[in-house]
Amino acid sequence: MDVDVFVAAHQAEWNRLRDLVGRAGKLSGPDADELVTLYQRVATHLSIIRSVAPDPVLVAQLSGLVAKARSAVTGSHSPAWREVGLFFTHRFPAALYLSRRWWLASAAASIAVMAIAAVWIAGDPQVLASLASPEEFKDLTAPGGKYETYYSSDPAGSFAARVWTNNAWVAATCLFLGVVLGVPVIYALWANSLNLAIGAALMSSAGRLDVFFGLILPHGLLELTAVFVAAGTGLKLGWTVIDPGRRSRTAALGEQGRSVVVMALGLTVVLLISGVIEGFVTPSGLPTWARIGIGVIAEIAFLLYVFIVGRRAAKAGEVGDVDWRYAGDSRPEAG
């Protein structure tokens, strides 16, 4: 698609929408109807540009216009509950969907490392012996051992809060330290994968791999997905430092940094849910199939949220950025 031709064909509509937005609150009935129509039309234009010819300058201009038009359509002084609703129905799912390639790649690489390391450790008696003495090995893996009782070591409420705090810290490390060329993110993923691989190898060597999965999967599916999302977002931030594209490095980092803030706020809720599952479901007396089933349902719900709600929001022009009113002004750049 020729971007210049596309701009020439629709510039008048964009200018008209900009004019209507500037007079929001003082519009006649027909003008208000036109505002809604043009808002929907320009959101479609933005979606086309982003998918076919993602010119960064044009995408930034149209994103700002669509955001302002949305605010004018929904009301410039939205109550707090509406802002929260918009966040969880538009901004956060769109950010998840648009960064999916980064966090799906992080998940695939991490799971591969876990599997390879677990098989290697379990299959090498010398490596196993270096990890724990026979007494420690038995203390960890025996029925009623430390590996099982860890999940009921504290009252469910305080344990869930502690787990949530720890996981939020890991996610924050991945999100915000990704700017250091992604190095801390790679280290965090490696450490997390190796820790799980050691646990799987020890329980497998004791003939209790089924117990391992029964304890990990109820909360771990959603928890690990949240960590992978944080890691993918952090790696994307690190890559932006290396290759900002056609934007200046400052502008690119500003845009991606705001997306990191959106991810941090949204993942706080996701990790809260996984923490509640880990505190109340994982150590519960429910059958293993029921505990794992709850974890699978939570994971499926999250993926549907990303690939249905997020995809729809992205197609409507949402870019996963913070509200335009809080993003600050950007200095115009040469295209």
Side-chain angles (χ1 to χ4, degrees), residues 85-100 103 262-263 266 302 304-314 318-320:
L86 285 172
F87 179 86
F88 284 105
T89 58
H90 290 79
R91 297 188 186 100
F92 180 49
L96 290 168
Y97 181 77
L98 293 172
S99 63
R100 66 194 182 281
W103 57 265
V262 170
M263 285 293 200
F302 178 79
L304 290 176
Y305 176 68
V306 173
F307 290 98
I308 294 179
V309 180
R311 183 171 181 269
R312 185 184 300 128
E318 183 62 62
V319 295

Side-chain angles (χ1 to χ4, degrees), residues 148-171:
E148 291 182 54
T149 58
Y150 165 75
Y151 296 97
S152 55
S153 57
D154 291 315
S158 60
F159 181 79
R162 178 159 58 88
V163 166
W164 180 37
T165 302
N166 177 71
N167 291 335
W169 177 254
V170 173

Side-chain angles (χ1 to χ4, degrees), residues 89-299:
T89 58
H90 290 79
R91 297 188 186 100
F92 180 49
L96 290 168
Y97 181 77
L98 293 172
S99 63
R100 66 194 182 281
R101 292 182 178 85
W102 287 90
W103 57 265
L104 287 174
S106 298
S110 297
I111 292 171
V113 169
M114 289 179 206
I116 294 170
V119 171
W120 172 63
I121 294 170
D124 192 325
Q126 290 184 340
V127 176
L128 279 173
S130 69
L131 293 174
S133 67
E135 293 77 15
E136 292 172 329
F137 180 82
K138 182 178 179 180
D139 192 36
L140 283 168
T141 61
K146 290 182 178 179
Y147 202 89
E148 291 182 54
T149 58
Y150 165 75
Y151 296 97
S152 55
S153 57
D154 291 315
S158 60
F159 181 79
R162 178 159 58 88
V163 166
W164 180 37
T165 302
N166 177 71
N167 291 335
W169 177 254
V170 173
T173 299
C174 291
L175 284 168
F176 295 104
L177 294 186
V179 73
V180 190
L181 303 182
V183 174
V185 180
I186 295 172
Y187 175 79
L189 284 176
W190 167 257
N192 188 64
S193 299
L194 190 59
N195 183 53
L196 284 171
I198 291 172
L202 290 174
M203 294 295 280
S204 175
S205 298
R208 309 192 70 219
L209 190 59
D210 57 330
V211 176
F212 171 81
F213 285 117
L215 292 171
I216 289 294
L217 292 181
H219 64 275
L221 289 171
L222 186 59
E223 179 184 294
L224 285 174
T225 301
V227 171
F228 296 147
V229 169
T233 304
L235 290 173
K236 186 178 181 181
L237 180 63
W239 184 252
T240 302
V241 176
I242 298 171
D243 181 14
R246 294 179 59 186
R247 300 162 294 176
S248 71
R249 185 166 280 102
T250 300
L253 282 174
E255 180 180 332
Q256 185 58 30
R258 293 193 300 271
S259 181
V260 166
V261 172
V262 170
M263 285 293 200
L265 294 173
L267 289 179
T268 299
V269 176
V270 177
L271 289 170
L272 174 61
I273 295 171
S274 71
V276 169
I277 295 173
E278 187 169 359
F280 291 90
V281 176
T282 298
S284 72
L286 292 172
T288 300
W289 65 265
R291 289 186 284 113
I292 293 178
I294 291 172
V296 170
I297 289 171
E299 177 71 1

Side-chain angles (χ1 to χ4, degrees), residues 320-331:
D321 202 344
V322 299
D323 190 280
W324 66 273
R325 292 170 293 176
Y326 314 121
D329 296 326
S330 299
R331 184 176 62 186

